[in-house]
Amino acid sequence: VPGRHNVLNALAVISLGLVLDIPLVTIREALAEFQGTDRRFQVVRLPRDIWCVEDYAHHPAEIRATLAADSITERHRLVVFQPHRFSRTQRLERALSRCFSDADGVIVTDIYGASEEPIPGISGERLANLIRARGHPRVRYVPRPELSTHVRQIAHPGDTFFFLGAGDI
């Protein structure tokens, strides 16, 4: 399971296990069997050497950690990001506009409202514009209904697509 954050989690598990007097061999076996959790850096390798990484990351710190966990930096890395909730996007838009620097390209789609009413002026398109204004050279807004067609059109061998968000991305 890749990522510095997962190493820190494993160290916390070891520490807690030792405090609880769980034998180190039992802790080691449990960690060796751990395969990760659903929607956390789940990699699917597609034909033509295209990889998809699905991750629940929707907070700026999670997005940075997910991109940092990818150690195969020679691949072309594209993020497809679905912001989660209008209120959260509004509160975090400054931090969200700065967390994609490790991606070669960013596609922002519509906000997953999670039963929230839209907030006027807060949108995936606005977030894409903010990311671009902060200096990211390759950012595009793509409406959700057009997303799968767009991704298929731009995918090339050697690409890794990160599908990030807490919604239905």
Side-chain angles (χ1 to χ4, degrees):
V1 181
R4 182 177 187 273
H5 59 291
N6 286 313
V7 171
L8 295 174
N9 288 343
L11 290 171
V13 166
I14 293 166
S15 298
L16 179 60
L18 293 175
V19 166
L20 295 174
D21 293 323
I22 297 172
L24 186 56
V25 67
T26 304
I27 298 168
R28 185 177 21 226
E29 289 170 358
L31 286 173
E33 292 176 15
F34 182 67
Q35 298 295 311
T37 58
D38 285 346
R39 297 200 68 205
R40 287 296 185 183
F41 215 93
Q42 287 188 301
V43 179
V44 176
R45 295 177 188 201
L46 301 174
R48 297 183 8 199
D49 192 34
I50 297 170
W51 298 3
C52 293
V53 176
E54 182 184 6
D55 199 286
Y56 190 75
H58 58 283
H59 184 276
E62 294 172 335
I63 293 166
R64 282 191 297 276
T66 299
L67 292 173
D70 179 31
S71 62
I72 307 174
T73 56
E74 69 271 6
R75 295 182 64 83
H76 190 238
R77 296 156 33 118
L78 300 157
V79 170
V80 180
F81 179 62
Q82 181 184 45
H84 186 245
R85 295 186 181 268
F86 294 95
S87 60
R88 182 175 292 146
T89 303
Q90 183 179 39
R91 274 193 319 274
L92 296 175
E93 69 180 6
R94 184 174 176 182
L96 285 167
S97 71
R98 297 178 173 177
C99 67
F100 296 100
S101 59
D102 286 341
D104 296 309
V106 181
I107 298 167
V108 181
T109 194
D110 300 311
I111 296 172
Y112 183 78
S115 73
E116 276 190 348
E117 291 296 319
I119 297 173
I122 302 302
S123 67
E125 186 171 18
R126 173 184 165 84
L127 181 58
N129 290 334
L130 289 171
I131 296 167
R132 189 178 306 105
R134 296 275 186 224
H136 200 293
R138 291 180 198 87
V139 182
R140 182 172 180 164
Y141 163 73
V142 177
R144 183 73 167 92
E146 300 169 19
L147 189 58
S148 62
T149 300
H150 179 72
V151 168
R152 278 195 300 275
Q153 289 173 343
I154 66 167
H156 293 98
D159 285 348
T160 297
F161 284 88
F162 291 83
F163 290 88
L164 306 180
D168 61 3
I169 191 66

PDB file of all heavy atoms in Angstrom, residues 6-18:
ATOM      1  N   ASN A   6       0.589   6.053   4.636  1.00  0.00           N
ATOM      2  CA  ASN A   6       0.321   4.660   5.010  1.00  0.00           C
ATOM      3  C   ASN A   6       1.450   4.082   5.868  1.00  0.00           C
ATOM      4  O   ASN A   6       1.192   3.241   6.739  1.00  0.00           O
ATOM      5  CB  ASN A   6       0.076   3.809   3.769  1.00  0.00           C
ATOM      6  CG  ASN A   6      -1.295   4.105   3.187  1.00  0.00           C
ATOM      7  OD1 ASN A   6      -2.286   4.161   3.905  1.00  0.00           O
ATOM      8  ND2 ASN A   6      -1.348   4.319   1.890  1.00  0.00           N
ATOM      9  N   VAL A   7       2.663   4.518   5.639  1.00  0.00           N
ATOM     10  CA  VAL A   7       3.768   4.111   6.506  1.00  0.00           C
ATOM     11  C   VAL A   7       3.512   4.627   7.927  1.00  0.00           C
ATOM     12  O   VAL A   7       3.673   3.897   8.908  1.00  0.00           O
ATOM     13  CB  VAL A   7       5.123   4.628   5.967  1.00  0.00           C
ATOM     14  CG1 VAL A   7       6.239   4.387   6.976  1.00  0.00           C
ATOM     15  CG2 VAL A   7       5.446   3.982   4.632  1.00  0.00           C
ATOM     16  N   LEU A   8       3.102   5.874   8.031  1.00  0.00           N
ATOM     17  CA  LEU A   8       2.797   6.442   9.350  1.00  0.00           C
ATOM     18  C   LEU A   8       1.636   5.709  10.016  1.00  0.00           C
ATOM     19  O   LEU A   8       1.661   5.463  11.230  1.00  0.00           O
ATOM     20  CB  LEU A   8       2.502   7.935   9.227  1.00  0.00           C
ATOM     21  CG  LEU A   8       3.679   8.802   8.755  1.00  0.00           C
ATOM     22  CD1 LEU A   8       3.224  10.239   8.526  1.00  0.00           C
ATOM     23  CD2 LEU A   8       4.834   8.736   9.735  1.00  0.00           C
ATOM     24  N   ASN A   9       0.633   5.345   9.226  1.00  0.00           N
ATOM     25  CA  ASN A   9      -0.492   4.566   9.780  1.00  0.00           C
ATOM     26  C   ASN A   9      -0.007   3.213  10.290  1.00  0.00           C
ATOM     27  O   ASN A   9      -0.423   2.750  11.363  1.00  0.00           O
ATOM     28  CB  ASN A   9      -1.575   4.356   8.719  1.00  0.00           C
ATOM     29  CG  ASN A   9      -2.347   5.620   8.416  1.00  0.00           C
ATOM     30  OD1 ASN A   9      -2.317   6.574   9.162  1.00  0.00           O
ATOM     31  ND2 ASN A   9      -3.029   5.612   7.288  1.00  0.00           N
ATOM     32  N   ALA A  10       0.883   2.563   9.551  1.00  0.00           N
ATOM     33  CA  ALA A  10       1.405   1.263   9.977  1.00  0.00           C
ATOM     34  C   ALA A  10       2.216   1.398  11.267  1.00  0.00           C
ATOM     35  O   ALA A  10       2.112   0.556  12.167  1.00  0.00           O
ATOM     36  CB  ALA A  10       2.260   0.648   8.868  1.00  0.00           C
ATOM     37  N   LEU A  11       2.988   2.464  11.359  1.00  0.00           N
ATOM     38  CA  LEU A  11       3.749   2.695  12.593  1.00  0.00           C
ATOM     39  C   LEU A  11       2.813   2.919  13.788  1.00  0.00           C
ATOM     40  O   LEU A  11       3.085   2.442  14.894  1.00  0.00           O
ATOM     41  CB  LEU A  11       4.694   3.885  12.416  1.00  0.00           C
ATOM     42  CG  LEU A  11       5.878   3.644  11.482  1.00  0.00           C
ATOM     43  CD1 LEU A  11       6.622   4.949  11.218  1.00  0.00           C
ATOM     44  CD2 LEU A  11       6.809   2.587  12.032  1.00  0.00           C
ATOM     45  N   ALA A  12       1.718   3.609  13.549  1.00  0.00           N
ATOM     46  CA  ALA A  12       0.732   3.809  14.620  1.00  0.00           C
ATOM     47  C   ALA A  12       0.109   2.478  15.040  1.00  0.00           C
ATOM     48  O   ALA A  12      -0.099   2.221  16.232  1.00  0.00           O
ATOM     49  CB  ALA A  12      -0.346   4.793  14.166  1.00  0.00           C
ATOM     50  N   VAL A  13      -0.184   1.620  14.066  1.00  0.00           N
ATOM     51  CA  VAL A  13      -0.734   0.290  14.368  1.00  0.00           C
ATOM     52  C   VAL A  13       0.256  -0.520  15.196  1.00  0.00           C
ATOM     53  O   VAL A  13      -0.117  -1.165  16.182  1.00  0.00           O
ATOM     54  CB  VAL A  13      -1.100  -0.452  13.058  1.00  0.00           C
ATOM     55  CG1 VAL A  13      -1.346  -1.929  13.302  1.00  0.00           C
ATOM     56  CG2 VAL A  13      -2.313   0.195  12.410  1.00  0.00           C
ATOM     57  N   ILE A  14       1.521  -0.480  14.807  1.00  0.00           N
ATOM     58  CA  ILE A  14       2.547  -1.211  15.556  1.00  0.00           C
ATOM     59  C   ILE A  14       2.626  -0.685  16.987  1.00  0.00           C
ATOM     60  O   ILE A  14       2.633  -1.468  17.951  1.00  0.00           O
ATOM     61  CB  ILE A  14       3.917  -1.101  14.845  1.00  0.00           C
ATOM     62  CG1 ILE A  14       3.884  -1.838  13.510  1.00  0.00           C
ATOM     63  CG2 ILE A  14       5.041  -1.640  15.735  1.00  0.00           C
ATOM     64  CD1 ILE A  14       5.058  -1.519  12.600  1.00  0.00           C
ATOM     65  N   SER A  15       2.665   0.624  17.126  1.00  0.00           N
ATOM     66  CA  SER A  15       2.759   1.227  18.462  1.00  0.00           C
ATOM     67  C   SER A  15       1.560   0.852  19.329  1.00  0.00           C
ATOM     68  O   SER A  15       1.727   0.444  20.490  1.00  0.00           O
ATOM     69  CB  SER A  15       2.850   2.754  18.348  1.00  0.00           C
ATOM     70  OG  SER A  15       4.003   3.126  17.653  1.00  0.00           O
ATOM     71  N   LEU A  16       0.369   0.969  18.778  1.00  0.00           N
ATOM     72  CA  LEU A  16      -0.830   0.633  19.540  1.00  0.00           C
ATOM     73  C   LEU A  16      -0.834  -0.850  19.898  1.00  0.00           C
ATOM     74  O   LEU A  16      -1.168  -1.218  21.029  1.00  0.00           O
ATOM     75  CB  LEU A  16      -2.086   0.993  18.746  1.00  0.00           C
ATOM     76  CG  LEU A  16      -3.414   0.675  19.426  1.00  0.00           C
ATOM     77  CD1 LEU A  16      -3.542   1.433  20.744  1.00  0.00           C
ATOM     78  CD2 LEU A  16      -4.568   0.986  18.492  1.00  0.00           C
ATOM     79  N   GLY A  17      -0.468  -1.687  18.943  1.00  0.00           N
ATOM     80  CA  GLY A  17      -0.427  -3.124  19.211  1.00  0.00           C
ATOM     81  C   GLY A  17       0.518  -3.469  20.348  1.00  0.00           C
ATOM     82  O   GLY A  17       0.198  -4.284  21.218  1.00  0.00           O
ATOM     83  N   LEU A  18       1.676  -2.824  20.355  1.00  0.00           N
ATOM     84  CA  LEU A  18       2.641  -3.090  21.425  1.00  0.00           C
ATOM     85  C   LEU A  18       2.125  -2.596  22.774  1.00  0.00           C
ATOM     86  O   LEU A  18       2.294  -3.267  23.795  1.00  0.00           O
ATOM     87  CB  LEU A  18       3.992  -2.453  21.089  1.00  0.00           C
ATOM     88  CG  LEU A  18       4.719  -3.068  19.889  1.00  0.00           C
ATOM     89  CD1 LEU A  18       5.977  -2.284  19.561  1.00  0.00           C
ATOM     90  CD2 LEU A  18       5.029  -4.545  20.127  1.00  0.00           C
TER      91      LEU A  18
END
